[in-house]
Amino acid sequence: MYRYDLISCHDCGVLHQHRPVQPREKARCVRCGSILYRGIRSDPRAMAAITLAAIFTFLIAQFFPIVELSVSGYSIDSTLLGAIYVLWREKMEIVATVVTLFTIVLPAVELGALFYVTLALSRGRRPPGFDSMLRALGTARRWGMTEVLMIGILITIVKMTSLARVIVHPGLFAFAVLTLMLAVVMSFDPKILWNIGEHLPGPKGMRPSQSQVNYRALAAGAPLVACHSCGLVAPEEGRHQRCVRCKSALHRRRPNSVGRTWALLLAATILYLPAMLLPVMYTNSLLGKEDDTIISGVLLFWNSGSQALAIIIFVASIAVPVLKLVALAILATTAQRRSRWRPDQRTALYRIVEFVGRWSMLDIFVITLTVALVRFQSLAVITAGPGALAFCAVVVLTMMASMQFDPRLIWDPVESHGEKHA
C-alpha cells in the first residue's frame, strides 16, 4: 500500500485510508471522532499570496501605535514592541520574553516559514531546509497567540475609557485584520505541503528517496508508527528510529508521557495560589497606591458595569486554569491506571484542554498594554507585580503539560476490535 494512503488519528492512533473530501468538508476518525483532515484547496500560489499579505499586515501591526490615551494635557501611545520594552524595564524580563515569543517571534516564524515554502512549491521545487521550515511552522503554530492578544487589546481599550480619552491608531486595525488573515493561514495543513514537496525536485534537482521505507515489513503487517510532524506512517523498526521524510524522532507513544505531565502539572498547581493572591499590578496615583490581583480586577469590571468583560476575564484567568489542572489530573490518573472508563469523553476533554490552553494568557496581555499606557507621571502610573510572573508560569506550564500528554494512552487499554493503530 502506498504510504500516503494511511492517516493516523492524532488522538487515538487508529489508522484510516485517505479519502478525498470536498472543500469545507471534514474527515473524522471512526473511533474517537477527532478531525483527521479538512477539505481545503492546496494551491501553493494562493497560499503564498495570502501569506504575503498577512506578512505585510503583521509588519504594520508591529510598528504602528495601537492606541493613545489622553488626560489632563498628557498623552501617550504605544506599539506592542513599546509595551514589551516597558515591561522589561520594570524588571519583568521573563514575562516580557514570553509575550514577545507568543505575539511577535512565533507568529513571524509561522508566516515566514509558510511563505518561504509555498513560494518555492508554487515554482515547482522543494527549497533548501524544506523539512526544517515545516517543523518550525508546526511548532510556532501551537504557541502563537495573535487572536488572544487581539481580545486583550479590546479589553484594555474598554478598561482605559474610564481613565482617559482613548484614540485608536492604525496598529489596532492591523491587528484585527491580521487575526482574520491568520485564521485563513491556519487552515493550510503543513502535512499537505509535505506531500506536495515529496514529489518535487530539491535544490540540486534530486527527489527525496522513497526506497528507505521498508515496504516488505509494511506488507507483512509489521507494527506501524506515525510521525507527528509530517504524518508519514511507516513500519516500526526499533528504537531510535527517525522519520525517513522529515527526520523527526518516531515513537509509538511519547516517552514518559504521564510522568512528564504530572511533573508539569504539579509545578503549575504550586504556582497557582501565588498567581491568584499576589498583586499583578500596582497603581500609583494622586489618590495613593493600590494593589490589584486578578480577582480584584474581575470585581472592578463587574462593579463598574462591565459585567461581560468581568465574565470573560473570570473564565479565561480563573476558571480555565483551574479546569485545566483538574482535567489534566483526571487524564493523567486514568492513563496511568490504564482505565477503560469513558474513552470518548476523556478524548473530548483532552481536545478541550488543548483548545482553551492559550486563552489564559489573556490577562497577561492586558497587563502588558495597561502598564505601557498608564504612565502619566505624577497623575497615575501602573507597574506590573509578581502575580503576573506566577500567572504567566501557570499558563505556560499547563500548556506544556497538555502537549506532553499522549492522548493515545486513553485508548490503549480499550479493545480495538481488530482495528490497526499506530
Side-chain angles (χ1 to χ4, degrees):
M1 181 183 293
Y2 193 59
R3 56 185 175 177
Y4 301 119
D5 286 347
L6 296 177
I7 302 291
S8 176
C9 176
H10 173 273
D11 290 345
C12 71
V14 167
L15 290 176
H16 303 74
Q17 191 166 7
H18 187 277
R19 293 286 185 271
V21 295
Q22 296 298 319
R24 300 184 180 181
E25 290 183 344
K26 303 172 184 177
R28 292 185 177 272
C29 176
V30 296
R31 181 161 73 171
C32 71
S34 298
I35 298 175
L36 300 173
Y37 53 91
R38 303 172 188 269
I40 61 172
R41 302 186 187 279
S42 55
D43 182 1
R45 289 185 179 85
M47 292 183 184
I50 294 173
T51 306
L52 180 60
I55 290 173
F56 282 120
T57 308
F58 174 83
L59 294 175
I60 295 172
Q62 301 305 323
F63 293 106
F64 281 79
I66 300 172
V67 67
E68 178 183 347
L69 297 187
S70 178
V71 58
S72 300
Y74 293 101
S75 64
I76 186 170
D77 59 34
S78 181
T79 63
L80 177 59
L81 288 167
I84 292 171
Y85 173 72
V86 171
L87 203 59
W88 182 281
R89 199 173 58 190
E90 294 292 334
K91 307 301 181 184
M92 299 295 289
E93 294 91 346
I94 296 177
V95 178
T97 300
V98 171
V99 174
T100 303
L101 286 173
F102 291 169
T103 62
I104 299 177
V105 176
L106 292 173
V109 169
E110 178 183 357
L111 292 173
L114 186 60
F115 180 68
Y116 175 78
V117 169
T118 53
L119 182 63
L121 293 181
S122 67
R123 296 176 177 176
R125 62 180 180 85
R126 283 185 309 114
F130 176 76
D131 300 328
S132 299
M133 285 293 177
L134 285 181
R135 285 200 301 271
L137 169 61
T139 301
R141 181 167 287 185
R142 299 185 75 178
W143 288 95
M145 300 185 185
T146 302
E147 71 280 16
V148 184
L149 173 63
M150 184 63 215
I151 300 299
I153 292 172
L154 295 179
I155 290 176
T156 305
I157 290 175
V158 173
K159 182 179 181 180
M160 293 298 104
T161 54
S162 62
L163 302 176
R165 186 165 68 94
V166 177
I167 305 169
V168 297
H169 282 281
L172 173 64
F173 301 106
F175 269 114
V177 175
L178 179 63
T179 301
L180 297 176
M181 297 185 77
L182 283 176
V184 177
V185 170
M186 285 283 287
S187 68
F188 302 153
D189 189 348
K191 293 178 182 178
I192 293 177
L193 300 177
W194 249 304
N195 291 344
I196 294 173
E198 183 75 13
H199 306 288
L200 297 176
K204 297 181 180 179
M206 306 270 307
R207 293 177 184 270
S209 172
Q210 298 185 6
S211 62
Q212 294 171 299
V213 177
N214 190 340
Y215 287 101
R216 290 184 179 179
L218 185 62
L224 301 175
V225 59
C227 177
H228 269 213
S229 293
C230 70
L232 180 66
V233 175
E236 188 175 15
E237 298 176 352
R239 298 178 61 185
H240 308 298
Q241 182 180 354
R242 289 194 171 272
C243 177
V244 298
R245 179 161 64 176
C246 72
K247 305 301 183 291
S248 297
L250 295 181
H251 307 286
R252 285 187 57 78
R253 297 294 179 265
R254 188 172 286 114
N256 198 22
S257 170
V258 175
R260 294 179 180 180
T261 302
W262 273 122
L264 293 165
L265 191 58
L266 178 61
T269 303
I270 292 172
L271 288 170
Y272 182 76
L273 280 180
M276 292 295 108
L277 299 178
L278 292 177
V280 293
M281 289 189 298
Y282 298 114
T283 302
N284 291 292
S285 67
L286 296 175
L287 301 177
K289 184 177 180 180
E290 184 178 351
D291 300 343
D292 292 315
T293 63
I294 292 177
I295 296 174
S296 68
V298 172
L299 295 176
L300 177 63
F301 274 115
W302 185 270
N303 294 329
S304 62
S306 301
Q307 284 84 4
L309 292 181
I311 293 172
I312 291 174
I313 295 178
F314 174 81
V315 171
S317 301
I318 298 177
V320 167
V322 172
L323 293 175
K324 282 194 299 182
L325 293 173
V326 173
L328 287 169
I330 292 173
L331 292 173
T333 300
T334 53
Q336 193 169 22
R337 295 181 176 180
R338 295 186 61 82
S339 171
R340 297 174 60 183
W341 173 71
R342 297 183 181 273
D344 292 309
Q345 287 81 354
R346 282 188 287 150
T347 302
L349 180 63
Y350 168 77
R351 288 198 290 267
I352 293 172
V353 169
E354 267 205 322
F355 174 76
V356 303
R358 64 181 61 203
W359 287 96
S360 297
M361 281 295 292
L362 183 63
D363 222 19
I364 298 298
F365 296 151
V366 172
I367 293 169
T368 300
L369 293 168
T370 302
V371 167
L373 289 170
V374 184
R375 311 195 72 77
F376 296 114
Q377 299 179 16
S378 59
L379 292 180
V381 175
I382 294 180
T383 57
L389 177 59
F391 186 75
C392 184
V394 170
V395 177
V396 173
L397 288 170
T398 51
M399 288 185 66
M400 293 175 63
S402 66
M403 292 178 186
Q404 283 298 319
F405 182 76
D406 193 333
R408 294 172 296 182
L409 296 172
I410 296 172
W411 292 90
D412 282 348
V414 180
E415 292 291 336
S416 62
H417 301 291
E419 299 154 329
K420 287 187 177 180
H421 51 87

